[in-house]
């Protein structure tokens, strides 16, 4: 399967996908990396891995549908079958969604996925870690989901949880979540590449059954310690 990755920033999730493809942990290749931000570190990571890149600056582009149409053109030219948003700081338009909507080969699943640094449906949108800290939650995490027309509202593929510890600030919580993102995103893309996911309403099935929840991973949160 040929992946197109859209990234606006550091690209550490892109790196996790590049590494997983290189090591054949997922049966896919990153065919194109697109960024809307000139100089994004993600573009350097892709170039270092020998992956084609393109930067289409979004600043000063008021016509969002036209902008997305140009992205879609690039992705189609590269033969991309699945679009992975990885720190892509723009909402995609209906133009984009319809170009990579459900298909027969994708078993009815949309062909755009995203990773979000919170346990959706809690804390969608920007600054998810800040939102979690402000809400005083004791557990947060990350979510891989199909993309629909809403903001982080699409069907949930997989989630991983981390504890929120006393004294956490935003960078500390973000780093703990990011470590889980780097594990979860390749795993979820691997399922898609193997054609193992399907949709039943809003529920994502793995091999026709609900996907098992991963265990809490942090050594700080052992069984029996949660009230
Ligand atoms: C990640 O936390 C991701 O969940 C969010 O943006 C961040 C991107 O980080 N959507 P990176 O660019 O992959 O390092």
């Amino acid at each position: 399967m040929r992946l197109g990755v859209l990234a606006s920033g550091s690209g550490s999730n892109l790196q996790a996908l590049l590494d997983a493809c290189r090591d054949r942990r997922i049966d896919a290749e990153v065919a194109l990396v697109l960024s809307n931000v000139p100089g994004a570190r993600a573009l350097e990571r892709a170039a270092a891995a020998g992956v084609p890149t393109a930067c289409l600056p979004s600043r000063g582009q008021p016509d969002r549908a036209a902008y997305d149409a140009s992205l879609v053109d690039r992705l189609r030219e590269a033969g991309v079958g699945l679009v992975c948003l990885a720190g892509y700081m723009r909402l995609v338009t209906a133009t984009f969604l319809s170009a990579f909507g459900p298909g027969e080969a994708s078993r009815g699943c949309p062909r755009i996925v995203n990773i979000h640094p919170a346990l959706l449906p809690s804390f969608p949108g920007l600054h998810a870690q800040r939102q979690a800290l402000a809400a005083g939650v004791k557990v947060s995490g990350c979510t891989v989901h199909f993309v629909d027309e809403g903001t982080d509202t699409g069907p949930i593929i997989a989630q991983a949880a981390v504890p929120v510890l006393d004294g956490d600030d935003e960078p500390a919580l973000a780093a703990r979540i990011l470590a889980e993102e780097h594990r979860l995103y390749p795993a979820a893309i691997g399922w898609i590449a193997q054609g193992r996911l399907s949709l039943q309403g809003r529920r994502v099935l793995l091999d026709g059954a609900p996907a098992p929840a991963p265990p809490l991973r942090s050594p700080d949160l052992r069984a029996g310690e949660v009230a």
Side-chain angles (χ1 to χ4, degrees), residues 182-203:
H182 298 160
R183 187 181 64 84
L184 193 69
Y185 211 10
I189 303 294
W191 290 340
I192 297 172
Q194 291 173 320
R196 295 174 65 187
L197 299 188
S198 57
L199 266 185
Q200 188 179 67
R202 282 189 50 86
R203 300 190 72 196

PDB file of all heavy atoms in Angstrom, residues 182-203:
ATOM      1  N   HIS A 182       3.944   6.940  18.759  1.00  0.00           N
ATOM      2  CA  HIS A 182       4.912   6.320  17.843  1.00  0.00           C
ATOM      3  C   HIS A 182       4.743   4.809  17.770  1.00  0.00           C
ATOM      4  O   HIS A 182       5.190   4.162  16.824  1.00  0.00           O
ATOM      5  CB  HIS A 182       6.344   6.671  18.274  1.00  0.00           C
ATOM      6  CG  HIS A 182       6.605   8.144  18.229  1.00  0.00           C
ATOM      7  ND1 HIS A 182       7.619   8.756  18.906  1.00  0.00           N
ATOM      8  CD2 HIS A 182       5.943   9.145  17.569  1.00  0.00           C
ATOM      9  CE1 HIS A 182       7.587  10.054  18.673  1.00  0.00           C
ATOM     10  NE2 HIS A 182       6.578  10.316  17.879  1.00  0.00           N
ATOM     11  N   ARG A 183       4.119   4.245  18.785  1.00  0.00           N
ATOM     12  CA  ARG A 183       3.832   2.811  18.786  1.00  0.00           C
ATOM     13  C   ARG A 183       2.478   2.529  18.128  1.00  0.00           C
ATOM     14  O   ARG A 183       2.322   1.602  17.339  1.00  0.00           O
ATOM     15  CB  ARG A 183       3.798   2.338  20.253  1.00  0.00           C
ATOM     16  CG  ARG A 183       3.678   0.875  20.490  1.00  0.00           C
ATOM     17  CD  ARG A 183       3.629   0.611  21.986  1.00  0.00           C
ATOM     18  NE  ARG A 183       2.448   1.196  22.623  1.00  0.00           N
ATOM     19  CZ  ARG A 183       1.256   0.610  22.665  1.00  0.00           C
ATOM     20  NH1 ARG A 183       1.073  -0.578  22.124  1.00  0.00           N
ATOM     21  NH2 ARG A 183       0.237   1.216  23.261  1.00  0.00           N
ATOM     22  N   LEU A 184       1.514   3.399  18.451  1.00  0.00           N
ATOM     23  CA  LEU A 184       0.130   3.125  18.038  1.00  0.00           C
ATOM     24  C   LEU A 184      -0.097   3.378  16.545  1.00  0.00           C
ATOM     25  O   LEU A 184      -0.813   2.616  15.881  1.00  0.00           O
ATOM     26  CB  LEU A 184      -0.820   4.013  18.854  1.00  0.00           C
ATOM     27  CG  LEU A 184      -2.302   3.640  18.788  1.00  0.00           C
ATOM     28  CD1 LEU A 184      -2.544   2.320  19.520  1.00  0.00           C
ATOM     29  CD2 LEU A 184      -3.162   4.734  19.409  1.00  0.00           C
ATOM     30  N   TYR A 185       0.488   4.460  16.027  1.00  0.00           N
ATOM     31  CA  TYR A 185       0.172   4.833  14.640  1.00  0.00           C
ATOM     32  C   TYR A 185       0.645   3.749  13.655  1.00  0.00           C
ATOM     33  O   TYR A 185      -0.146   3.292  12.823  1.00  0.00           O
ATOM     34  CB  TYR A 185       0.749   6.216  14.315  1.00  0.00           C
ATOM     35  CG  TYR A 185      -0.043   7.024  13.301  1.00  0.00           C
ATOM     36  CD1 TYR A 185      -1.302   6.624  12.865  1.00  0.00           C
ATOM     37  CD2 TYR A 185       0.443   8.212  12.796  1.00  0.00           C
ATOM     38  CE1 TYR A 185      -2.034   7.374  11.950  1.00  0.00           C
ATOM     39  CE2 TYR A 185      -0.276   8.973  11.883  1.00  0.00           C
ATOM     40  CZ  TYR A 185      -1.506   8.544  11.459  1.00  0.00           C
ATOM     41  OH  TYR A 185      -2.227   9.290  10.550  1.00  0.00           O
ATOM     42  N   PRO A 186       1.900   3.316  13.755  1.00  0.00           N
ATOM     43  CA  PRO A 186       2.308   2.240  12.834  1.00  0.00           C
ATOM     44  C   PRO A 186       1.463   0.982  12.988  1.00  0.00           C
ATOM     45  O   PRO A 186       1.158   0.306  11.991  1.00  0.00           O
ATOM     46  CB  PRO A 186       3.774   1.976  13.217  1.00  0.00           C
ATOM     47  CG  PRO A 186       4.238   3.235  13.853  1.00  0.00           C
ATOM     48  CD  PRO A 186       3.043   3.787  14.567  1.00  0.00           C
ATOM     49  N   ALA A 187       1.084   0.660  14.217  1.00  0.00           N
ATOM     50  CA  ALA A 187       0.269  -0.551  14.417  1.00  0.00           C
ATOM     51  C   ALA A 187      -1.058  -0.416  13.674  1.00  0.00           C
ATOM     52  O   ALA A 187      -1.505  -1.342  12.973  1.00  0.00           O
ATOM     53  CB  ALA A 187       0.035  -0.782  15.911  1.00  0.00           C
ATOM     54  N   ALA A 188      -1.680   0.745  13.805  1.00  0.00           N
ATOM     55  CA  ALA A 188      -2.984   0.949  13.154  1.00  0.00           C
ATOM     56  C   ALA A 188      -2.852   0.960  11.632  1.00  0.00           C
ATOM     57  O   ALA A 188      -3.679   0.377  10.916  1.00  0.00           O
ATOM     58  CB  ALA A 188      -3.603   2.260  13.655  1.00  0.00           C
ATOM     59  N   ILE A 189      -1.795   1.605  11.135  1.00  0.00           N
ATOM     60  CA  ILE A 189      -1.594   1.638   9.677  1.00  0.00           C
ATOM     61  C   ILE A 189      -1.312   0.223   9.167  1.00  0.00           C
ATOM     62  O   ILE A 189      -1.733  -0.157   8.071  1.00  0.00           O
ATOM     63  CB  ILE A 189      -0.419   2.582   9.308  1.00  0.00           C
ATOM     64  CG1 ILE A 189      -0.655   3.990   9.837  1.00  0.00           C
ATOM     65  CG2 ILE A 189      -0.194   2.598   7.793  1.00  0.00           C
ATOM     66  CD1 ILE A 189      -1.794   4.733   9.240  1.00  0.00           C
ATOM     67  N   GLY A 190      -0.611  -0.542   9.980  1.00  0.00           N
ATOM     68  CA  GLY A 190      -0.335  -1.936   9.602  1.00  0.00           C
ATOM     69  C   GLY A 190      -1.620  -2.727   9.429  1.00  0.00           C
ATOM     70  O   GLY A 190      -1.764  -3.504   8.478  1.00  0.00           O
ATOM     71  N   TRP A 191      -2.589  -2.512  10.329  1.00  0.00           N
ATOM     72  CA  TRP A 191      -3.882  -3.206  10.200  1.00  0.00           C
ATOM     73  C   TRP A 191      -4.559  -2.825   8.886  1.00  0.00           C
ATOM     74  O   TRP A 191      -5.113  -3.674   8.191  1.00  0.00           O
ATOM     75  CB  TRP A 191      -4.813  -2.840  11.358  1.00  0.00           C
ATOM     76  CG  TRP A 191      -4.421  -3.375  12.699  1.00  0.00           C
ATOM     77  CD1 TRP A 191      -3.583  -4.428  12.951  1.00  0.00           C
ATOM     78  CD2 TRP A 191      -4.862  -2.891  13.975  1.00  0.00           C
ATOM     79  NE1 TRP A 191      -3.471  -4.601  14.305  1.00  0.00           N
ATOM     80  CE2 TRP A 191      -4.253  -3.687  14.961  1.00  0.00           C
ATOM     81  CE3 TRP A 191      -5.718  -1.861  14.370  1.00  0.00           C
ATOM     82  CZ2 TRP A 191      -4.471  -3.490  16.328  1.00  0.00           C
ATOM     83  CZ3 TRP A 191      -5.932  -1.665  15.733  1.00  0.00           C
ATOM     84  CH2 TRP A 191      -5.317  -2.471  16.693  1.00  0.00           C
ATOM     85  N   ILE A 192      -4.511  -1.527   8.583  1.00  0.00           N
ATOM     86  CA  ILE A 192      -5.157  -1.058   7.348  1.00  0.00           C
ATOM     87  C   ILE A 192      -4.462  -1.655   6.134  1.00  0.00           C
ATOM     88  O   ILE A 192      -5.113  -2.143   5.194  1.00  0.00           O
ATOM     89  CB  ILE A 192      -5.158   0.484   7.278  1.00  0.00           C
ATOM     90  CG1 ILE A 192      -5.985   1.064   8.425  1.00  0.00           C
ATOM     91  CG2 ILE A 192      -5.696   0.961   5.936  1.00  0.00           C
ATOM     92  CD1 ILE A 192      -5.891   2.574   8.573  1.00  0.00           C
ATOM     93  N   ALA A 193      -3.132  -1.655   6.158  1.00  0.00           N
ATOM     94  CA  ALA A 193      -2.368  -2.187   5.018  1.00  0.00           C
ATOM     95  C   ALA A 193      -2.672  -3.664   4.796  1.00  0.00           C
ATOM     96  O   ALA A 193      -2.627  -4.157   3.663  1.00  0.00           O
ATOM     97  CB  ALA A 193      -0.878  -1.972   5.249  1.00  0.00           C
ATOM     98  N   GLN A 194      -2.981  -4.363   5.864  1.00  0.00           N
ATOM     99  CA  GLN A 194      -3.331  -5.779   5.750  1.00  0.00           C
ATOM    100  C   GLN A 194      -4.800  -5.998   5.412  1.00  0.00           C
ATOM    101  O   GLN A 194      -5.242  -7.141   5.322  1.00  0.00           O
ATOM    102  CB  GLN A 194      -3.018  -6.499   7.075  1.00  0.00           C
ATOM    103  CG  GLN A 194      -1.533  -6.611   7.376  1.00  0.00           C
ATOM    104  CD  GLN A 194      -1.287  -7.175   8.778  1.00  0.00           C
ATOM    105  OE1 GLN A 194      -1.984  -6.835   9.736  1.00  0.00           O
ATOM    106  NE2 GLN A 194      -0.304  -8.049   8.888  1.00  0.00           N
ATOM    107  N   GLY A 195      -5.549  -4.912   5.269  1.00  0.00           N
ATOM    108  CA  GLY A 195      -6.968  -5.030   4.931  1.00  0.00           C
ATOM    109  C   GLY A 195      -7.804  -5.654   6.037  1.00  0.00           C
ATOM    110  O   GLY A 195      -8.819  -6.301   5.776  1.00  0.00           O
ATOM    111  N   ARG A 196      -7.389  -5.414   7.288  1.00  0.00           N
ATOM    112  CA  ARG A 196      -8.057  -6.095   8.406  1.00  0.00           C
ATOM    113  C   ARG A 196      -9.176  -5.282   9.049  1.00  0.00           C
ATOM    114  O   ARG A 196      -9.882  -5.783   9.908  1.00  0.00           O
ATOM    115  CB  ARG A 196      -7.021  -6.457   9.474  1.00  0.00           C
ATOM    116  CG  ARG A 196      -6.015  -7.464   8.960  1.00  0.00           C
ATOM    117  CD  ARG A 196      -4.905  -7.700   9.967  1.00  0.00           C
ATOM    118  NE  ARG A 196      -5.412  -8.316  11.180  1.00  0.00           N
ATOM    119  CZ  ARG A 196      -4.672  -8.502  12.274  1.00  0.00           C
ATOM    120  NH1 ARG A 196      -3.420  -8.098  12.303  1.00  0.00           N
ATOM    121  NH2 ARG A 196      -5.193  -9.095  13.340  1.00  0.00           N
ATOM    122  N   LEU A 197      -9.317  -4.011   8.633  1.00  0.00           N
ATOM    123  CA  LEU A 197     -10.332  -3.162   9.281  1.00  0.00           C
ATOM    124  C   LEU A 197     -11.597  -3.067   8.445  1.00  0.00           C
ATOM    125  O   LEU A 197     -11.553  -3.073   7.213  1.00  0.00           O
ATOM    126  CB  LEU A 197      -9.774  -1.757   9.521  1.00  0.00           C
ATOM    127  CG  LEU A 197      -8.558  -1.636  10.429  1.00  0.00           C
ATOM    128  CD1 LEU A 197      -8.256  -0.163  10.704  1.00  0.00           C
ATOM    129  CD2 LEU A 197      -8.755  -2.384  11.743  1.00  0.00           C
ATOM    130  N   SER A 198     -12.709  -2.976   9.134  1.00  0.00           N
ATOM    131  CA  SER A 198     -13.981  -2.684   8.471  1.00  0.00           C
ATOM    132  C   SER A 198     -14.802  -1.813   9.409  1.00  0.00           C
ATOM    133  O   SER A 198     -14.447  -1.637  10.581  1.00  0.00           O
ATOM    134  CB  SER A 198     -14.721  -3.982   8.128  1.00  0.00           C
ATOM    135  OG  SER A 198     -14.933  -4.746   9.300  1.00  0.00           O
ATOM    136  N   LEU A 199     -15.884  -1.279   8.899  1.00  0.00           N
ATOM    137  CA  LEU A 199     -16.717  -0.368   9.685  1.00  0.00           C
ATOM    138  C   LEU A 199     -18.096  -0.958   9.897  1.00  0.00           C
ATOM    139  O   LEU A 199     -18.698  -1.503   8.967  1.00  0.00           O
ATOM    140  CB  LEU A 199     -16.902   0.954   8.927  1.00  0.00           C
ATOM    141  CG  LEU A 199     -15.977   2.126   9.204  1.00  0.00           C
ATOM    142  CD1 LEU A 199     -16.453   3.335   8.411  1.00  0.00           C
ATOM    143  CD2 LEU A 199     -15.920   2.453  10.684  1.00  0.00           C
ATOM    144  N   GLN A 200     -18.583  -0.849  11.122  1.00  0.00           N
ATOM    145  CA  GLN A 200     -19.968  -1.216  11.413  1.00  0.00           C
ATOM    146  C   GLN A 200     -20.580   0.015  12.071  1.00  0.00           C
ATOM    147  O   GLN A 200     -20.326   0.255  13.264  1.00  0.00           O
ATOM    148  CB  GLN A 200     -19.980  -2.413  12.359  1.00  0.00           C
ATOM    149  CG  GLN A 200     -21.326  -3.030  12.600  1.00  0.00           C
ATOM    150  CD  GLN A 200     -21.180  -4.222  13.533  1.00  0.00           C
ATOM    151  OE1 GLN A 200     -20.849  -4.065  14.712  1.00  0.00           O
ATOM    152  NE2 GLN A 200     -21.408  -5.407  13.026  1.00  0.00           N
ATOM    153  N   GLY A 201     -21.289   0.824  11.284  1.00  0.00           N
ATOM    154  CA  GLY A 201     -21.715   2.131  11.798  1.00  0.00           C
ATOM    155  C   GLY A 201     -20.475   2.951  12.078  1.00  0.00           C
ATOM    156  O   GLY A 201     -19.636   3.121  11.213  1.00  0.00           O
ATOM    157  N   ARG A 202     -20.359   3.400  13.332  1.00  0.00           N
ATOM    158  CA  ARG A 202     -19.159   4.164  13.708  1.00  0.00           C
ATOM    159  C   ARG A 202     -18.108   3.271  14.360  1.00  0.00           C
ATOM    160  O   ARG A 202     -17.053   3.751  14.774  1.00  0.00           O
ATOM    161  CB  ARG A 202     -19.545   5.271  14.697  1.00  0.00           C
ATOM    162  CG  ARG A 202     -20.186   6.473  14.025  1.00  0.00           C
ATOM    163  CD  ARG A 202     -20.328   7.596  15.029  1.00  0.00           C
ATOM    164  NE  ARG A 202     -19.086   7.875  15.744  1.00  0.00           N
ATOM    165  CZ  ARG A 202     -18.145   8.701  15.284  1.00  0.00           C
ATOM    166  NH1 ARG A 202     -18.298   9.309  14.134  1.00  0.00           N
ATOM    167  NH2 ARG A 202     -17.050   8.912  15.992  1.00  0.00           N
ATOM    168  N   ARG A 203     -18.388   2.002  14.479  1.00  0.00           N
ATOM    169  CA  ARG A 203     -17.430   1.118  15.157  1.00  0.00           C
ATOM    170  C   ARG A 203     -16.473   0.516  14.147  1.00  0.00           C
ATOM    171  O   ARG A 203     -16.882   0.003  13.100  1.00  0.00           O
ATOM    172  CB  ARG A 203     -18.171   0.006  15.894  1.00  0.00           C
ATOM    173  CG  ARG A 203     -19.124   0.531  16.940  1.00  0.00           C
ATOM    174  CD  ARG A 203     -19.650  -0.589  17.797  1.00  0.00           C
ATOM    175  NE  ARG A 203     -18.627  -1.108  18.702  1.00  0.00           N
ATOM    176  CZ  ARG A 203     -18.709  -2.259  19.342  1.00  0.00           C
ATOM    177  NH1 ARG A 203     -19.747  -3.048  19.147  1.00  0.00           N
ATOM    178  NH2 ARG A 203     -17.752  -2.641  20.150  1.00  0.00           N
TER     179      ARG A 203
END
